[in-house]
Amino acid sequence: MRDGRRIDARAEGLPDGRQRFHIDGQEHAVWVACSEKSAFLHSNLSGAIEIETVDAAGGAGQARTGASDTLVAPMPGTVIAVQVCEGDMVNAGQPLMVIESMKLETTLFAPREARIQAVHFGVGATFGLKAILLTLADA
């Protein structure tokens, strides 16, 4: 149920390891990686997104402090390209970095208008899950 409306959703495994989700008549094929507190969905169209689990007994959980000030790795991987430098001004939606994980390339985009305060990993560097890749500052 969402907003009082029933949503039809089902999933099925695909031979290449992806999961196919059917949600209200739309089909989405994604790779899924899970950690203790999150699930990461990766599609060729939208890149990687993190879905945090919520304890139904605990309510909606707590907001992340500084979430808009850091670009966090949605999965472990390697930096393929960095399109910005420290001090650069960026617009919301601007490509900042390309990472690779499990042979899948994902472009990470600016969540808001900002100045690049720090680039923590360069091309060829490897990083772990939830590593801070870039730090943003107010524009």
Side-chain angles (χ1 to χ4, degrees):
M1 297 286 284
R2 181 174 182 183
D3 298 327
R5 186 174 70 84
R6 183 181 172 89
I7 295 175
D8 177 42
R10 58 190 164 88
E12 65 181 285
L14 297 173
D16 64 1
R18 293 181 298 164
Q19 296 289 314
R20 180 180 297 143
F21 292 94
H22 302 270
I23 303 171
D24 274 353
Q26 292 188 336
E27 189 174 289
H28 308 274
V30 299
W31 283 270
V32 179
C34 296
S35 70
E36 184 177 315
K37 299 196 183 247
S38 301
F40 298 91
L41 303 179
H42 180 281
S43 77
N44 291 333
L45 296 176
S46 64
I49 60 169
E50 177 182 9
I51 300 172
E52 293 186 74
T53 58
V54 175
D55 180 357
Q62 300 176 345
R64 286 186 177 182
T65 303
S68 63
D69 292 335
T70 57
L71 208 64
V72 178
M75 60 195 82
T78 304
V79 176
I80 301 299
V82 179
Q83 286 106 338
V84 294
C85 296
E86 290 180 10
D88 286 355
M89 296 300 295
V90 296
N91 296 313
Q94 181 177 332
L96 303 178
M97 181 179 280
V98 179
I99 61 173
E100 182 271 330
S101 181
M102 300 182 294
K103 298 183 182 178
L104 300 172
E105 287 189 11
T106 301
T107 301
L108 303 176
F109 299 95
R112 62 183 176 88
E113 184 176 301
R115 181 179 52 80
I116 301 298
Q117 182 174 345
V119 177
H120 299 284
F121 293 89
V123 173
T126 59
F127 52 84
L129 173 66
K130 296 196 178 194
I132 296 175
L133 302 173
L134 295 161
T135 302
L136 305 175
D138 288 336

